[in-house]
Amino acid sequence: MFGKKKKATASQALHLEEPDYTHIVRVEGLVHDFVDIDEEGKETERFRAVDKVSLDVSPGQFIAVLGHNGSGKSTLAKHINAILMPTEGAVYVGGMDTKDDEKLWKIRQQAGMVFQNPDNQIIATIVEEDVGFGPENLGVPTEEIWQRVEKALNNVGMTEYRHHSPTKLSGGQKQRVAIAGVMAMKPKCIVLDEPTAMLDPNGRREVIATLKELNRQEKVTIILITHYMNEVIEADRVFVMDNGKIALQGTPRQVFSNVEKIKSLGLDVPQITEIAYKLKKRGVNFKDGVLTIDEFIEQLEEYIKIKAADSITVQPEGYRLGQTCIHADKTKGKGHEKNIKNVNIENINAENINAENIYTENINTEKTEGKEKRQVIMELDHINYTYSADTAFRIHALKDISLKLYEGQFIGIIGHTGSGKSTLIQHLNGLIRAERGRLLFRDKNIYDEDFVMPSLRKKVGLVFQYPEYQLFEATVLEDVMFGPKNLGKSEEEARQTAIEALKAVGADESLWDKSPFELSGGQKRRVAIAGVLAMETEVLILDEPTAALDPKGRDEILGLIDRLHKERKITIILVSHSMEDVAKYADRIIVMNKGQVSYDGTPEEVFSYYKELEEIGLAAPQVTYLAAELRKKNIELSSHVTTVDRMAEELLRVLEVGYNA
């Protein structure tokens, strides 16, 4: 089964000397320069990625490292696993100097590494073989290898895929396999570089819970690099990097108390922390660094109690504090022809709800509340698709999907890993052909023999999760020109179209003559979007466009997409695992589950079913959970709140109305 690489002997692997150390990781004055060398061996450029960083990590700690893209955090992580060597300074792992070549094998046994892109470390053709590859090369007996494989796969929720090929897995599933492979090696320290970037909400919860369990029960030291702020609130210590240096460090509460500083570094704070900060700025007495919903409600209740002691009655919209609130019925969503059924959210369960409770084909079609009638731009009529149809690994990816997509909508598509999201959007521009059903673009069936498929791909553009997969020309400008030239435009016409598209996405002129592969992740995404826009697209589809971007990069890309939507009236279809992003930008959300549409409605409508979303591997924005807890405390909000700004406004309204503030 195993054995594709020269193995260490059992004596080498199982009778290693335990080094004497106080810190599992010690970094002393670390400097790392990336140097470009020309063909003659001369230095042409030098970039300092890490600049005199010093830190200690004790055995059994849970450490989080934050920072914007390019801050130096990934470079730091690669030193801990001895992938990179210091330009200056030193890194010690388990008391061993990473510059000591003779200790390299032992160092990597001490500190395992999980990369951002799982394709970089998955090598076997079968999942269980890949997970067992590392232990086998450590000389672990076969019986124990199987035990480790079983436990690791179970820990990351991938047991049912043990006999599958990794190449057939989704990005999120591959990441779980990569984590399992490192877990199976039982290192004393695991360094993880954005391990949850491609996972759905449930996958993120499971992976983080697994890491916490390893840390608490088995005392494995965890060093987690992440852009998800909620993943670090229980860390022992947080390091924030900026321009190769440590800009902030401390406990999560200490670090996140510096809201403005954190934001100035291109990062974010947990939603709960930000709401508390906004209220404090408006005079509500909150402490700094509120991290959890329980803390938030405790401080809000304390504030209300103090005000009540001044004999001021809270009376927001027909109720008094302490009285039982009557939950408002769900009202007609914006642009809907018919109402969602009037259901008290607390009485909803999986048995009494289905897509008919929330789904309507007539979304945003009628003139309601001053909105103009919208035309159907695409229609899916009973679309079905199966992967590996004639094999034992048959997967029915899409099951009888019927949807109408309307001009000018901003549609968010969410779903668990493997729900069919990516398969669905690949049908929309003809990359995949349905087995059964019809797909209409402006009332024309794209599967008709006389339909010209290039005309569809001109109007329906797709930006992939990894933009480098669609960037291939020598320069940025040439890459964006490629599409218009293929549509028959002259060199000059294509150039002008490309320039306009690059300007539209905010790609600075200094980038135009660079190779696309020299760009940052955020810059690559801008160029990929520009390449689609240059085709004069009417529908822009984006598959996880903010994956692995820092909060600032995420906001820039989504802000760009939102601006294009509003200014050019482009129909946007955004596939995302970020509930916060779709809540903020989308006016319609489609929820996929096991190849079917489970819910379809406005963000407020869809996220009101947060309990049901959790059951299918999703979640709601943290704000939604706060709103639910506030209602339990008889603090009723006027609507189903899904964004930070809206929640802050609602709470200020409640407090100001009640206290005449």
Side-chain angles (χ1 to χ4, degrees), residues 81 102 288:
N81 190 245
E102 294 182 358
D288 291 329

Side-chain angles (χ1 to χ4, degrees), residues 150-164:
E150 185 76 29
K151 184 177 181 180
L153 287 173
N154 184 62
N155 282 341
V156 299
M158 288 297 290
T159 301
E160 65 178 295
Y161 296 94
R162 64 184 307 154
H163 300 303
H164 286 230

